[in-house]
Structures are given as C-alpha cells and as structure tokens.
Amino acid sequence: MQPHRIAIRVYYEDTDFSGVVYHASYLRFMERGRTELIRDLGIDQRALFDGDVALAFAVRAMRIEFLKPAVMDDLLTVETIPVEMKGASMKVSQRVLRGDEPLVEAEVKVVCVGGGRARRIPDPLREKLGG
C-alpha cells in the first residue's frame, strides 16, 4: 500500500508564542492523517461508532521523533501507512513533511475498542487496509 497523504496548513493556533509549531499540534495532524486514511478507504467511522457496539480507535502507544520545526503558514504533508495488523490492533507509520523534508516521524499503535474492551478490527476495514 502506498502512503496516504493529506495537506495541513499551519495556523497561528498550532504554534507557540514564537510561531513554531507546538509539539502537541503534530499529534492532532497525525490523528487527522489516520482519520482521513480510513475515510478515503470508504469506511464510515460514524457508522462504526453508531453500530450495535460503538467502535472507535484509541492510541495505545506512540514513538515519535521531532526532527525539525515547522512554523506558521507552512504547508505540511502527513503521510500515513499501515505496517502491521493483529486482531484488535494496528501499527501505523506516519511522517510529517515540509516538501520532501521530514519534520516528524512516528510509529503509532492503535487499538479498536468498543463496549469498554478491545474488539477485532472489522473485516471490511481489515481487507481495505491490506490485512
């Protein structure tokens, strides 16, 4: 599977007092990347949430490296690619780039949850993600 890409513009609200992107903003950017990957695969997350057992994805673990800063008005690209899938969990590799320059690299483990416990990732989503 090729990396999924979305564009993100850096706004004032994403930065600290000096105009540099605040570290937690990258977490929001990457969350959008994971959400848009699922949406672009044709999976309606609202339908998953509104089903018999409300399903959602929660971050279980994250390894993140901040390589270079982004600043206000930068146009960034968030790349997302699933790299491993198990019953209820999925590892995702993500990068935030400015042009071809990597700014942030992360490995994210997300878990499908519903009814207060881990749930197997639904087969339609699993098939579309290549698992």
Side-chain angles (χ1 to χ4, degrees):
M1 175 180 245
Q2 292 293 320
H4 177 270
R5 293 179 176 86
I6 65 164
I8 302 276
R9 175 72 64 188
V10 175
Y11 296 110
Y12 179 76
E13 67 188 21
D14 302 316
T15 65
D16 62 17
F17 67 93
S18 68
V20 172
V21 172
Y22 182 65
H23 71 279
S25 295
Y26 292 106
L27 303 180
R28 288 193 312 272
F29 299 162
M30 289 185 289
E31 178 73 32
R32 291 179 203 160
R34 294 188 304 275
T35 298
E36 292 301 325
L37 165 67
I38 292 171
R39 182 185 324 277
D40 287 351
L41 290 172
I43 301 295
D44 182 351
Q45 289 192 68
R46 189 76 228 176
L48 288 175
F49 190 76
D50 289 340
D52 293 336
V53 175
L55 296 179
F57 290 93
V59 173
R60 171 79 166 87
M62 179 180 280
R63 182 198 57 79
I64 188 167
E65 290 190 53
F66 300 96
L67 305 171
K68 294 185 178 182
V71 297
M72 193 170 9
D73 289 331
D74 276 352
L75 182 60
L76 307 177
T77 301
V78 177
E79 288 186 345
T80 305
I81 187 162
V83 293
E84 180 182 315
M85 199 171 321
K86 294 186 179 176
S89 69
M90 175 174 53
K91 281 188 184 176
V92 179
S93 178
Q94 293 191 280
R95 296 192 316 161
V96 178
L97 304 114
R98 180 178 44 227
D100 292 331
E101 178 181 37
L103 305 180
V104 175
E105 296 177 346
E107 294 293 325
V108 184
K109 182 177 183 179
V110 295
V111 178
C112 184
V113 295
R117 64 184 184 92
R119 301 282 180 158
R120 181 174 168 80
I121 296 170
D123 288 336
L125 177 55
R126 179 179 297 282
E127 291 167 12
K128 290 183 178 185
L129 288 167

